Amino acid sequence: ESLFDILYFNTKPKTKEKHNDRSSELIFYVTRLKKFSKKKGKTFSFTSLSFQKKKSIFAANYIKSLNPRNNMLQIFCKNNERSVEMLPGSTLVQVYQACGLQLPHGPTSAKVNNVVEGLNFKIYHNMDVEFLDITSSSGMRTYVRSLCFVLCKAVADLYPEGQIKLQHPVSKGHYCTLEIGHEATEEEVSAIKEQMQEIIRSCIPYRRLEVPTEKAVRLFRQLGMNDKAKLLETSGSLYTDYYTLGDTVDYYYGSLLP
């Protein structure tokens, strides 16, 4: 029994109908070869190939696809000018670890072909990567956005009926309005700060979800975030990304920490 016969037996559809007829078997293999070549972005000419040659091509490509080394991506890290091989679908966190980098404050985001992406971004092509930390303006913005989300969650945990509105930057902070039905006391502000520390100690991950914009608009309207719902409604995008931190939902234009 040849290797190809084994491949054929293991990959043909499980059906009671047997492929005894030579023409039906040929159609079966040509169909699979077309699908396989389309997936790989290649084009084959079937008219000039014999039946056995078609089978051989499919078997060779099938065996080749089983070896992950044939699908490795070349990633060039600008931080240390080092190239590493990564599997398609690897995250920037995994790339950072493979590059052996030790940024003093840790990475917050990265420039992928000069476009800033979050560390959960997955790679599927060869590319240049430059990791950013809080010493860069873009990396600091990612850090501040993530910290603002922690603040929003802390308020939501302590005051389910209240809310906090993040306004414009002021000096080295942000101007915020806390709406909890009364003027906040120093004790309540300290409680919010302690709740933020508790959320950070819990290491709750930020999760990014991509959904149709109509679904996101409905979600934010249900949560009473009408301003963000209106913003997404007029964005003109078919799909929208939003973030969750535990059971707290929010929308941010830029990336957040992992």
Side-chain angles (χ1 to χ4, degrees), residues 136-150:
S136 67
S137 58
S138 180
M140 176 57 80
R141 285 193 293 270
T142 299
Y143 178 80
V144 171
R145 276 193 299 269
S146 304
L147 196 58
C148 287
F149 200 178
V150 174

Side-chain angles (χ1 to χ4, degrees), residues 1 39 56 58 64 76-77 103 105 119 139 146 149 157 171 176-177 205 215-216 232 238:
E1 188 175 33
K39 183 178 180 181
S56 300
F58 172 70
K64 183 179 179 181
F76 178 73
C77 178
L103 297 181
H105 305 287
L119 294 178
S146 304
F149 200 178
D157 291 345
S171 183
C176 307
T177 56
K215 184 176 180 180
L232 297 177
L238 292 177

Side-chain angles (χ1 to χ4, degrees), residues 105-211:
H105 305 287
T108 58
S109 56
K111 285 185 179 180
V112 180
N113 290 346
N114 293 323
V115 177
V116 177
E117 301 287 356
L119 294 178
N120 286 327
F121 179 81
K122 295 182 179 181
I123 57 173
Y124 293 97
H125 306 283
N126 299 333
M127 54 188 56
D128 294 347
V129 175
E130 180 183 2
F131 289 95
L132 308 174
D133 60 12
I134 59 175
T135 60
S136 67
S137 58
S138 180
M140 176 57 80
R141 285 193 293 270
T142 299
Y143 178 80
V144 171
R145 276 193 299 269
S146 304
L147 196 58
C148 287
F149 200 178
V150 174
L151 172 59
C152 292
K153 176 170 176 55
V155 172
D157 291 345
L158 296 177
Y159 307 99
E161 300 301 324
Q163 64 175 331
I164 185 168
K165 294 183 179 180
L166 305 176
Q167 306 290 342
H168 49 81
V170 177
S171 183
K172 295 183 179 180
H174 278 69
Y175 178 78
C176 307
T177 56
L178 181 62
E179 300 178 357
I180 55 175
H182 60 272
E183 185 175 348
T185 64
E186 291 187 8
E187 291 76 11
E188 288 173 324
V189 173
S190 297
I192 293 174
K193 181 178 179 180
E194 178 58 32
Q195 182 65 17
M196 291 178 65
Q197 294 293 342
E198 180 61 30
I199 294 170
I200 294 172
R201 285 192 293 267
S202 301
C203 295
I204 304 174
Y206 297 94
R207 299 192 183 280
R208 187 179 72 172
L209 303 174
E210 183 180 22
V211 298

Side-chain angles (χ1 to χ4, degrees), residues 16-33:
K16 295 181 179 180
E17 181 180 356
K18 297 182 179 180
H19 293 275
N20 293 328
D21 183 71
R22 184 180 179 85
S23 61
S24 63
E25 185 180 12
L26 177 59
I27 293 173
F28 169 71
Y29 275 106
V30 169
T31 302
R32 287 195 62 86
L33 183 54

Side-chain angles (χ1 to χ4, degrees), residues 25-91:
E25 185 180 12
L26 177 59
I27 293 173
F28 169 71
Y29 275 106
V30 169
T31 302
R32 287 195 62 86
L33 183 54
K34 284 182 177 179
K35 290 181 179 179
F36 187 86
S37 60
K38 183 178 180 181
K39 183 178 180 181
K40 293 295 182 180
K42 299 178 180 179
T43 303
F44 290 93
S45 175
F46 300 101
T47 56
S48 59
L49 298 179
S50 65
F51 175 70
Q52 291 298 328
K53 184 64 175 178
K54 291 182 176 70
K55 293 172 63 176
S56 300
I57 291 175
F58 172 70
N61 281 280
Y62 183 83
I63 295 171
K64 183 179 179 181
S65 70
L66 297 179
N67 184 3
R69 299 288 300 178
N70 296 316
N71 300 319
M72 299 296 279
L73 302 176
Q74 294 293 327
I75 308 300
F76 178 73
C77 178
K78 291 185 176 181
N79 300 81
N80 57 6
E81 297 185 348
R82 176 185 172 187
S83 294
V84 295
E85 290 186 339
M86 302 297 299
L87 285 170
S90 300
T91 64

